[in-house]
Amino acid sequence: MSLLAVEDAIAKMLADLPTTGTEAVPFNAAVGRILADDVRARLTQPPFDASSMDGYAVRAEDVAHQSAFECVAEVAAGHPIDQQIEASQCARIFTGAPLPPGTDSVIIQENASVSGTSIAFDDPNFSARQYVRPKGMDFAEGDHGLNAGTRLEPRHLALAAAMNHPTLSVRTSPKIAILATGDELVSAGSDLSPGQIVTSNSHAITALCQNLRCEVQDFGIARDNEASLRSCFDAILEWQPDVVVTLGGASVGDHDLVRPMLESYGFGLDFWRIAMRPGRPLMHARRGRTCLLGLPGNPVSAIVCGQVFLKPLILGLMGARDTAPVDQYPLDHPLPENSNRMHYMRARRTETGVTVFENQDSSLLRTLSMATHLVMREPHAPARETGQNVPAIPIN
């Protein structure tokens, strides 16, 4: 099977993707979740003409004829009054309070002189309706607020709450099973024997999934033999995950057993080997509603592929509108032309643009830990000069 272009692989992965179910959650459990239904306003905001400043509510037509008024009432936020304000009268008003009947404008207190109940105004720039937030200025009942597929952030929750929704309908969290493979792997904190290394990519992939509000279960380390792999896969499939993520074992070596074993479990292979670096040995397969994403065993390659493939897969399962956000930043330095594979280069955002790290060796986790973005270089991309924009995926 020849190398598959990244965009073609992502399109295959997301084609006919099933979505998770829905559930109603309170606001304190909604951040980071994917909205399942559109949100519309259940009320008008503000529900009345409101003052945007502390001052005095007046009739604009009176201000043109006189400068002194009798203050006959006081209106505070949450305490409307029914009293009609007549000609030559005004009402003390505070920010957020509804304008009393008969008034249509506000003169701020800095432009007022008070003598008992007599108020003199000196506002040379006065205009009708000033310092008034009109009824429905933000939204009216029935107005559209949020689209289904929005990944909810604090700003979205504020709008939904203001629109008088006590709970939100969101997509249920996908179940993600993670399995590392390899005889050389040991858990962090272990005493290492010769030839062993600490497994690190499973922790990064777990964190990535948790950041997307998934239900994650780490099934440990499968050894490089069929019996160990089958034991782990039996436990994984009994758990009925939406996505199985394997780490390692997807290449062509004699000890890479994941790919040839999938067929016996009923998985159909969609693609294997991608025209990218780091991360060429990557595979995707399906069995019913279960997706399998086989990431490389190299930690940097696995984490990069997690950003490029796993994150869009999870967001797609939850019906997200934007599964692959990309930024554009000017380069802080020149870049040479690219080779024949898509290159995801570790880079760091700066005050002036983005700096690509010089050493892009796929074994360097410390470099990855300092990166904020992956600069994307298309196959055969021409050289870029300082100041030219390049696309970059945020690492989060």
Side-chain angles (χ1 to χ4, degrees), residues 7 19 33 50 54 76 96 117 152 161 168 189 204-205 212 239 268 288 302 325 333 348 376 391:
E7 61 269 24
T19 51
R33 303 290 292 274
D54 291 346
T117 61
L152 294 167
L168 291 172
I205 298 303
L212 294 172
W239 189 55
H333 54 84
R348 186 169 186 83
M376 302 167 58

Side-chain angles (χ1 to χ4, degrees), residues 31-49:
V31 68
R33 303 290 292 274
I34 303 298
L35 192 62
D37 299 315
D38 289 352
V39 170
R40 293 188 175 274
R42 294 179 169 179
L43 47 69
T44 295
Q45 178 72 11
F48 42 73
D49 287 354

